[in-house]
Amino acid sequence: MKRDQSRLRKSLALLVMSSVLLLSACSGGNGNTEGSKESAPPQSAQPSDSGQTPEEEPYKISIMMQSFDTNLPGADSPVIKQLEEYTNTDLDIQFVPNSSYPDKVNITLASGQLPTIMVVDKSPSFISAARAGAFWEVGPYLKDYPNLSMANDIVLNNSSIDGKNYGVYRGRVLGRMGLTLNQVWMDNLGLQPPKTIDEFYNILKAFKEKDPDQDGKDDTYGIVVTKYAGPWDIMQVWFGAPNGWGDDGSGNLVPTHMTPEYREALKFFRKLYEEGLVNEDFAVMDSAVWNDPFVNGEAGAFVDVADNARRLNASMQEKEPRDESYTSVYQAPVGPKGHRDMPTTGYAGMLAISKSAVKTEEELKKVLAFIDKLGDVEMQLLLGYGVEGTHYDMVDGYIVPKENLEPAVLQQYNGLNQMLPFIGPVAPTLEQTPINNMIAEVQAANEKIVVANPAQPLVSEVYAQKGQQLDNIIADARIQYIVGQIDDAGLDAAIKLWRETGGDDYIEEINKLYKESQQ
Amino acid sequence: MNSKHDSIGEKIFDGFNYLFLGLLALVTVLPFIYIIAGSFATEVELIEREFFIFPRDPSIAAYQYIFSTDTVSRSIVNSVIITIAGTLVNLAFTFTMAYSLSRKDLMGRNIMMNLVIFSMLFSGGMIPGYLVVKELGLLDTYAAVILPGAISAFNMIIIKNFFQELPPGLEESARIDGCTDLGVLWRIVLPLSKPILATFGLFYAVGHWNNFFSSLLFLNDHEKWPLQVILREIVMLSQMAAGDMSNLDPNFVEPPDQSVKMAVIVVGTLPILLVYPFLQKHFAKGVLLGSIKG
Amino acid sequence: MNTALRSESDASIRKAIPRRRRWLSKLKKDKWLYILLMPGLLYFLVFKYLPMWGVLIAFQNYQPFLGFWNSEWVGFEHFQNFFANPDFFRLLRNTLILAVYDLVFFFPAPIILALLLNEVRLAFFKRVVQTMVYVPHFVSMVIVASMTYVFLTTSGGVIHELVSAITGKSINFLADTSWFRPLIILQMMWKDSGWGTIIFLAALASVDMEQYEAAVVDGANRFQRLIYITIPAISSTIIILLILRLGSFLDNGFEQIFLMTNSLNRSVADVFDTYVYFVGITQGAFSYSTAIGLFKSVVGILLIYGSNRLAKRFGREGIF
């Protein structure tokens, strides 16, 4: 079989070559054979015989990860050189543009030639590959490493598959959400930060009706929302609706849209829409321009990641510089069921180690040692901010990026932060401006009020098949309810449709998996 | 085509026709003009004003920014290489096959036509296609971007039909003069097919220029990426809602400026836009058949 | 029995000799044609037919890492799920209506535009207009969707304001289900009508000028010349494009529809292509989406062969 394949391969290559030759004979040669003449470069770093290799020899590691930038460091980047020196490795970094990353993961899995480390999500094809033994189960090893042993249990649980960890998660702030308000408007109207949902409502109402920008015109409203439904998801948790799934009191999980708290939240949203406290066109609004109404002084509230307060402030400062911050950011207001907010999953993908590139446990330990070292403060700084003195300076223990750096210099470390697991000691941060401090406070305080999704680690077959379809039914009904196209009966009908389309099977499966995982 | 013969009705038609086409041209080109204007505008202006033709205080900062590293200029070179080499391969493969299949007496022609049409509708999909390219050892070469699309069945069929409509007498006479089929294609058919060559050369070239997906699949080395990969990424990133950014590390990633996005669109579109006017002279009326027949 | 077989085969061999000779002589006569055919044929075999096994994953639960040989076979399960899906008829209906709109309104647009351009005698004006209408083809769909929002939004979109000033009512173009399909077709027209004219202009370029001159001498007016010379000259191109278009009849252009869909118009916006995205790509169900693709392809191939036969019955060329 194998031999047949390689013979086939050879003859195919011959055929293609000959057709190219034939073609050039016919048309007088148009000289495009450059591509086929080049020999294929090595696909992935095959670790050299580790048994004989002396300790000092740099260990070869290939990494595949997303890029969120187009100016990427070349192999000659001094930052990569420093990284290689520090970790005693020989790195081959493959950047893949974020928008096509899932495709690239799938074809890489299909090709069977995986890089040493691959950043992956818990996608069905990764889950299936992990179950089939394509990746090392790293969970049991983590305790042996100084940084990796500090991994957060909640996040480890969230990122697990069938209770096992097939990768080192890339940590993110768990309690990242926040309520951003226009501080100028707050001051103009003499308002205090909202403690409860009623106060939150009153602020939105005042933003709409009390002329917060003091221009004498009725041209403002409360909160801006777009086609992207994130803000609704966040705010319904404030009202006590579970995050995704919740315990119904008898130990069974129910989806959030089947709880009374969900309905309460929707009634509130509907009131916001009826009274014009949210933008009229939110259901169709292009999320690329989400920030614009806030920056232009049309809307005064923004519910999303807390750190967006910095972005909004920066845009407004660019318009008209002001000594103080234009924005302020607060924790979620307290709702009828107490102080609650939506968390993130606490991680963004995992660094999975493939068995096709890493054959032995001994090698696995080398790779884990590399990932462990990425948690060191030195590496967090190097990959996140570049080289001290070149890209940033340390002032009073804070990082101050050099101003007006040439993009070509910035390029030396661009995108490398994508390999950081952020498991380890806390590294120095950017210089603390008032708004940055506020964001940090909110996110730290959020840790205590975030509501975990108990179904997060569960892998549902039904959801893999019909998940998006099911989600759409509920998401659409929610929007239609808010804008008043359907009433409570319509919402009930949508939930019934959801259950019939596969929702009931989904509930049953989740509960079964949940009970199994509890044991 | 003598205007002296025009009736009043025809003159009215002409008037409306010019007016309609003029307006249409304006409507189609306005958004692009906005993109050009936006590429010279400041961020503040882009957030404040929804649509404008003249930026308030024009600046070339966005262009300075995108050309300050070699990423964009290198990718333009890559795009040009892929486009030129790819188009030549396309034309050679497509025209030879179309010419052979345009001969109705060719044995096996029907089987091959069925083969071609079937492949238009049924395809193995992304993964099997990738595996073939990989097995051929073409990964990370431009051949991987060019060869898998060497013939568009769609274009081939249309070209074949153009060939079928050429007057048969021409080929006959050439063959009597002792030309082989190859000679007929080279000396008679191709010179007659300049508008077709120009048209499909343009189609293929535009296809290569706009293609980002095969480059993403087959080129691992980011220094080999063509411009469209860069352009697409910038457009997608700036489209990413703040909410979708909860996956990103808050300290590092900022979406690119709107003006930079627009400048990249301009840089990515203008070169291929300029190809068309140059090809247009080949679409001039009746350049070929009349002259040869006469 | 053996002998009988042998004598029979002898006879067929004897008969086959002249046939094979004919075959060989034909091959020899057209040897250059076959040589010219080789690169193309090889291309199709290597890059189109070698990966064709991918079609079979419609009958599996394909997982990339397991590969073709190790993935589980499930027979027609995905097809059953697809046809039994409660949404199937809504998807079919939306897909078909949009496909018919496309064929009736969008398909003729480039033809009409090409004919209008053909009537323009100011060469400079013609060239400028041609170049300008061709520009939108290069504007990516993401940008087109963003601009559509900017122009049509009920909070201050220019076109929305204009329409409500004229008609006196506020039309929510982006959310209203009755506006979804016209909007999609208008976007397509804006984006690709100009691009589509190129092929017809090329066809018009091969019209013999002498025919027009003769017609003018015969006293034909412009409308008559259009009907009797220009349109027949491009009719075979129109027919071929139509037949080929029918092959992808059920393709609605995923990206555009995906971008224009929202919670308020989804009931009319959901089509096979977006459904495939939701169940297939985002959930990694390769096999399911391949099965749906296969269904669309079978419909396409029936339409292609059917319409090709129809064209031939009417004495036209068809595609082959």
Side-chain angles (χ1 to χ4, degrees):
Chain A
M1 184 67 215
K2 260 256 147 68
R3 209 189 313 140
D4 278 3
Q5 258 182 1
S6 71
R7 210 187 299 152
L8 177 71
R9 205 181 309 163
K10 260 182 215 152
S11 49
L12 272 177
L14 256 174
L15 282 180
V16 171
M17 282 300 283
S18 57
S19 74
V20 171
L21 285 176
L22 239 174
L23 171 74
S24 43
C26 293
S27 57
N30 55 38
N32 177 61
T33 44
E34 39 112 14
S36 27
K37 271 183 202 152
E38 275 175 39
S39 59
Q43 299 304 332
S44 68
Q46 292 296 330
S48 46
D49 285 348
S50 56
Q52 283 113 353
T53 322
E55 282 282 295
E56 303 81 48
E57 190 85 350
Y59 182 67
K60 276 194 179 178
I61 291 180
S62 54
I63 306 175
M64 172 173 145
M65 59 191 195
Q66 299 101 320
S67 64
F68 291 89
D69 202 309
T70 50
N71 286 325
L72 298 167
D76 56 347
S77 152
V79 176
I80 295 182
K81 289 268 179 305
Q82 276 204 24
L83 166 65
E84 287 177 331
E85 253 166 56
Y86 187 87
T87 55
N88 191 30
T89 50
D90 178 6
L91 296 177
D92 171 15
I93 301 169
Q94 187 195 332
F95 290 102
V96 178
N98 176 55
S99 54
S100 52
Y101 197 74
D103 284 335
K104 195 79 184 194
V105 168
N106 286 330
I107 57 171
T108 308
L109 289 175
S111 76
Q113 278 182 341
L114 311 187
T116 320
I117 299 174
M118 190 160 138
V119 173
V120 286
D121 279 330
K122 256 166 64 171
S123 68
S125 41
F126 171 68
I127 291 170
S128 136
R131 284 177 176 160
F135 297 96
W136 286 93
E137 193 202 334
V138 298
Y141 298 95
L142 297 182
K143 61 178 188 324
D144 304 333
Y145 297 87
N147 292 328
L148 296 182
S149 58
M150 293 157 79
N152 180 313
D153 284 334
I154 297 173
V155 183
L156 278 177
N157 184 41
N158 280 350
S159 63
S160 66
I161 295 167
D162 309 331
K164 297 180 181 126
N165 285 98
Y166 289 102
V168 179
Y169 69 78
R170 298 191 303 175
R172 294 291 183 265
V173 180
L174 253 176
R176 190 168 169 190
M177 305 307 170
L179 163 64
T180 304
L181 295 171
N182 183 326
Q183 190 55 43
V184 179
W185 290 10
M186 296 287 282
D187 294 342
N188 285 348
L189 299 175
L191 295 167
Q192 291 303 309
K195 290 270 179 291
T196 64
I197 290 182
D198 284 339
E199 289 177 29
F200 171 63
Y201 169 79
N202 288 336
I203 287 176
L204 296 184
K205 192 104 178 147
F207 280 177
K208 163 93 181 155
E209 291 167 358
K210 301 242 174 81
D211 189 22
D213 55 357
Q214 298 176 333
D215 65 352
K217 277 181 272 180
D218 177 20
D219 56 357
T220 55
Y221 58 91
I223 179 172
V224 55
V225 183
T226 69
K227 220 171 146 174
Y228 166 71
W232 306 128
D233 291 334
I234 297 169
M235 287 193 281
Q236 73 201 20
V237 174
W238 299 355
F239 278 83
N243 166 16
W245 292 81
D247 197 318
D248 68 351
S250 62
N252 287 324
L253 294 185
V254 285
T256 183
H257 56 264
M258 285 166 69
T259 60
E261 290 86 358
Y262 177 85
R263 194 66 65 104
E264 284 308 306
L266 258 59
K267 287 202 175 102
F268 176 75
F269 299 159
R270 188 176 187 153
K271 190 163 88 170
L272 294 186
Y273 184 79
E274 273 168 4
E275 297 178 4
L277 306 185
V278 61
N279 47 320
E280 185 199 354
D281 67 343
F282 80 88
V284 301
M285 184 170 171
D286 185 0
S287 42
V289 292
W290 192 4
N291 288 350
D292 293 7
F294 192 100
V295 174
N296 287 336
E298 292 159 33
F302 204 97
V303 172
D304 191 40
V305 293
D307 38 286
N308 205 41
R310 184 178 59 234
R311 254 168 243 116
L312 292 168
N313 177 48
S315 294
M316 293 168 94
Q317 294 284 359
E318 209 171 309
K319 235 170 124 173
E320 201 188 319
R322 181 176 189 258
D323 287 338
E324 289 161 67
S325 170
Y326 276 100
T327 57
S328 48
V329 62
Y330 303 101
Q331 276 192 284
V334 180
K337 300 278 152 132
H339 203 189
R340 301 156 57 91
D341 201 2
M342 178 97 147
T344 67
T345 53
Y347 75 105
M350 297 169 257
L351 302 164
I353 303 167
S354 78
K355 284 191 176 166
S356 67
V358 179
K359 303 275 192 232
T360 63
E361 201 177 346
E362 197 183 340
E363 288 177 59
L364 170 69
K365 286 179 177 167
K366 283 189 181 177
V367 180
L368 280 171
F370 166 74
I371 297 177
D372 184 59
K373 277 189 188 151
L374 293 179
D376 290 353
V377 171
E378 290 89 336
M379 289 298 101
Q380 289 191 41
L381 290 179
L382 179 72
L383 301 186
Y385 305 94
V387 179
E388 188 180 350
T390 312
H391 300 104
Y392 69 92
D393 294 313
M394 288 298 270
V395 179
D396 305 331
Y398 290 115
I399 291 155
V400 183
K402 297 233 188 214
E403 280 180 28
N404 303 322
L405 275 186
E406 287 287 313
V409 179
L410 281 174
Q411 186 175 339
Q412 293 170 349
Y413 73 94
N414 259 349
L416 291 175
N417 58 43
Q418 289 299 320
M419 70 173 83
L420 290 176
F422 291 108
I423 304 175
V426 179
T429 50
L430 287 171
E431 189 193 9
Q432 297 301 286
T433 60
I435 189 66
N436 280 352
N437 284 335
M438 252 183 138
I439 293 166
E441 276 165 29
V442 165
Q443 292 184 337
N446 275 349
E447 298 257 341
K448 291 186 197 73
I449 64 162
V450 290
V451 183
N453 178 358
Q456 190 67 44
L458 309 178
V459 179
S460 155
E461 292 290 327
V462 177
Y463 192 81
Q465 290 251 329
K466 299 182 181 157
Q468 194 70 45
Q469 203 182 350
L470 290 173
D471 288 351
N472 281 348
I473 294 173
I474 296 303
D476 291 354
R478 179 170 64 180
I479 302 297
Q480 286 161 6
Y481 185 85
I482 296 172
V483 302
Q485 281 189 359
I486 58 172
D487 53 11
D488 283 275
L491 204 57
D492 290 332
I495 291 172
K496 187 161 167 279
L497 176 67
W498 182 86
R499 297 180 59 166
E500 284 163 2
T501 309
D504 278 335
D505 300 337
Y506 183 30
I507 294 176
E508 196 181 317
E509 188 190 13
I510 285 289
N511 274 299
K512 190 171 148 273
L513 292 168
Y514 183 60
K515 299 228 159 76
E516 280 168 13
S517 70
Q518 296 299 88
Q519 282 158 14
Chain B
M1 301 293 264
N2 197 327
S3 55
K4 273 178 244 158
H5 294 274
D6 282 1
S7 66
I8 293 180
E10 286 172 344
K11 284 199 174 110
I12 292 175
F13 165 78
D14 265 341
F16 274 109
N17 194 19
Y18 279 87
L19 190 70
F20 172 75
L21 289 175
L23 280 177
L24 188 76
L26 211 64
V27 168
T28 48
V29 90
L30 264 183
F32 192 70
I33 293 184
Y34 165 67
I35 293 176
I36 297 178
S39 70
F40 290 103
T42 57
E43 283 308 287
V44 174
E45 183 169 13
L46 282 165
I47 290 179
E48 268 178 11
R49 301 171 73 187
E50 279 179 342
F51 186 86
F52 54 91
I53 302 289
F54 299 104
R56 272 193 308 243
D57 31 18
S59 91
I60 55 163
Y63 290 92
Q64 280 173 332
Y65 174 80
I66 62 176
F67 284 109
S68 59
T69 65
D70 52 2
T71 308
V72 169
S73 32
R74 182 180 56 218
S75 69
I76 290 178
V77 173
N78 294 340
S79 283
V80 170
I81 293 173
I82 293 175
T83 303
I84 293 177
T87 306
L88 290 176
V89 169
N90 290 140
L91 291 179
F93 273 64
T94 312
F95 272 73
T96 49
M97 190 175 198
Y99 176 66
S100 304
L101 291 179
S102 73
R103 301 280 289 269
K104 290 186 177 163
D105 54 343
L106 188 79
M107 212 171 32
R109 175 178 181 268
N110 251 343
I111 300 173
M112 279 180 261
M113 280 309 296
N114 280 307
L115 211 68
V116 168
I117 290 167
F118 187 82
S119 80
M120 266 174 84
L121 288 154
F122 295 90
S123 98
M126 177 183 76
I127 291 178
Y130 175 83
L131 294 178
V132 167
V133 170
K134 179 174 163 275
E135 291 297 293
L136 290 172
L138 299 179
L139 284 189
D140 254 327
T141 70
Y142 288 140
V145 181
I146 292 169
L147 287 181
I151 298 180
S152 139
F154 188 91
N155 291 353
M156 205 276 290
I157 290 172
I158 298 171
I159 296 171
K160 179 196 73 93
N161 274 64
F162 271 118
F163 285 160
Q164 279 171 355
E165 287 184 2
L166 289 176
L170 286 171
E171 295 175 32
E172 298 289 313
S173 56
R175 209 160 287 127
I176 291 166
D177 292 346
C179 277
T180 61
D181 284 308
L182 184 65
V184 176
L185 173 64
W186 189 245
R187 288 202 215 123
I188 313 286
V189 176
L190 280 187
L192 278 180
S193 312
K194 267 193 199 152
I196 313 303
L197 263 175
T199 307
F200 289 93
L202 179 73
F203 282 1
Y204 277 127
V206 166
H208 284 297
W209 187 268
N210 282 348
N211 185 358
F212 60 90
F213 197 67
S214 0
S215 299
L216 283 174
L217 283 194
F218 300 129
L219 303 178
N220 291 334
D221 179 356
H222 63 85
E223 300 199 345
K224 287 185 178 147
W225 287 343
L227 184 58
Q228 289 297 328
V229 172
I230 312 287
L231 200 160
R232 166 115 188 145
E233 202 49 23
I234 288 180
V235 171
M236 296 309 277
L237 283 177
S238 63
Q239 207 70 14
M240 223 163 32
D244 296 346
M245 284 168 52
S246 59
N247 266 347
L248 308 181
D249 191 302
N251 289 323
F252 304 121
V253 181
E254 300 287 340
D257 282 352
Q258 289 288 319
S259 56
V260 169
K261 176 177 91 174
M262 289 172 165
V264 178
I265 294 175
V266 172
V267 169
T269 317
L270 270 188
I272 197 79
L273 281 183
L274 293 177
V275 170
Y276 189 47
F278 283 105
L279 282 177
Q280 267 176 350
K281 64 169 185 282
H282 296 290
F283 298 109
K285 261 188 165 176
V287 276
L288 37 117
L289 288 192
S291 63
I292 292 205
K293 266 188 195 162
Chain C
M1 179 145 154
N2 252 341
T3 48
L5 243 179
R6 194 179 302 151
S7 66
E8 211 181 278
S9 62
D10 277 357
S12 67
I13 286 171
R14 232 172 289 137
K15 239 192 270 168
I17 288 170
R19 206 189 293 157
R20 191 183 295 162
R21 251 186 222 145
R22 235 182 297 146
W23 200 78
L24 274 173
S25 75
K26 265 191 128 177
L27 202 66
K28 209 174 159 194
K29 180 180 130 269
D30 288 335
K31 94 179 161 229
W32 278 110
L33 289 182
Y34 287 107
I35 291 173
L36 287 175
L37 192 62
M38 278 321 265
L41 191 62
L42 265 175
Y43 163 76
F44 277 98
L45 291 179
V46 172
F47 289 107
K48 296 287 176 188
Y49 283 92
L50 214 55
M52 199 58 92
W53 57 264
V55 169
L56 295 178
I57 69 174
F59 306 96
Q60 294 188 318
N61 269 334
Y62 179 78
Q63 287 297 342
F65 180 73
L66 297 176
F68 182 70
W69 298 110
N70 295 319
S71 292
E72 170 199 9
W73 289 90
V74 297
F76 283 88
E77 191 187 305
H78 297 303
F79 293 91
Q80 277 164 3
N81 283 344
F82 179 49
F83 294 124
N85 183 336
D87 280 343
F88 177 77
F89 282 102
R90 189 169 58 94
L91 293 169
L92 182 69
R93 185 166 169 271
N94 288 341
T95 306
L96 284 179
I97 294 178
L98 209 55
V100 169
Y101 271 42
D102 179 342
L103 216 54
V104 173
F105 298 106
F106 174 65
F107 184 79
I111 303 174
I112 294 167
L113 188 55
L115 292 174
L116 290 178
L117 276 168
N118 194 48
E119 293 299 322
V120 169
R121 282 173 235 175
L122 279 174
F124 176 74
F125 182 79
K126 187 174 163 185
R127 273 197 187 192
V128 170
V129 171
Q130 265 180 41
T131 309
M132 283 165 90
V133 295
Y134 145 106
V135 170
H137 177 74
F138 296 89
V139 178
S140 75
M141 214 63 220
V142 178
I143 308 283
V144 175
S146 285
M147 287 190 174
T148 309
Y149 166 74
V150 168
F151 285 123
L152 295 183
T153 170
T154 50
S155 7
V158 180
I159 297 181
H160 172 263
E161 300 292 296
L162 203 71
V163 171
S164 43
I166 295 169
T167 62
K169 34 179 195 198
S170 162
I171 302 174
N172 197 346
F173 292 101
L174 296 163
D176 192 334
T177 47
S178 58
W179 271 99
F180 177 76
R181 291 174 187 127
L183 216 55
I184 292 285
I185 300 294
L186 281 171
Q187 281 180 334
M188 285 165 72
M189 283 185 178
W190 178 80
K191 194 169 182 317
D192 277 327
S193 293
W195 172 253
T197 58
I198 294 174
I199 196 159
F200 296 107
L201 290 173
L204 284 170
S206 45
V207 178
D208 194 345
M209 288 301 284
E210 285 170 20
Q211 287 188 42
Y212 283 108
E213 279 152 23
V216 171
V217 172
D218 291 347
N221 66 23
R222 274 172 66 185
F223 185 67
Q224 288 165 325
R225 288 185 307 232
L226 176 77
I227 295 292
Y228 295 109
I229 303 175
T230 314
I231 291 185
I234 58 171
S235 65
S236 73
T237 307
I238 296 177
I239 289 172
I240 294 165
L241 288 178
L242 189 61
I243 295 175
L244 292 176
R245 172 72 191 95
L246 286 173
S248 51
F249 188 64
L250 297 181
D251 295 345
N252 298 120
F254 161 75
E255 194 179 17
Q256 182 189 12
I257 295 188
F258 179 71
L259 290 168
M260 296 305 295
T261 303
N262 56 57
S263 285
L264 302 179
N265 67 15
R266 200 188 305 276
S267 59
V268 295
D270 254 355
V271 293
F272 288 146
D273 289 346
T274 49
Y275 176 74
V276 164
Y277 173 81
F278 283 134
V279 297
I281 319 298
T282 59
Q283 301 300 328
F286 293 92
S287 294
Y288 194 55
S289 50
T290 308
I292 299 170
L294 206 55
F295 162 72
K296 281 168 48 186
S297 301
V298 169
V299 172
I301 207 129
L302 290 177
L303 285 173
I304 280 205
Y305 281 102
S307 55
N308 193 47
R309 184 161 296 182
L310 207 63
K312 288 196 160 168
R313 184 162 300 167
F314 283 98
R316 307 301 309 224
E317 271 287 343
I319 51 173
F320 71 101

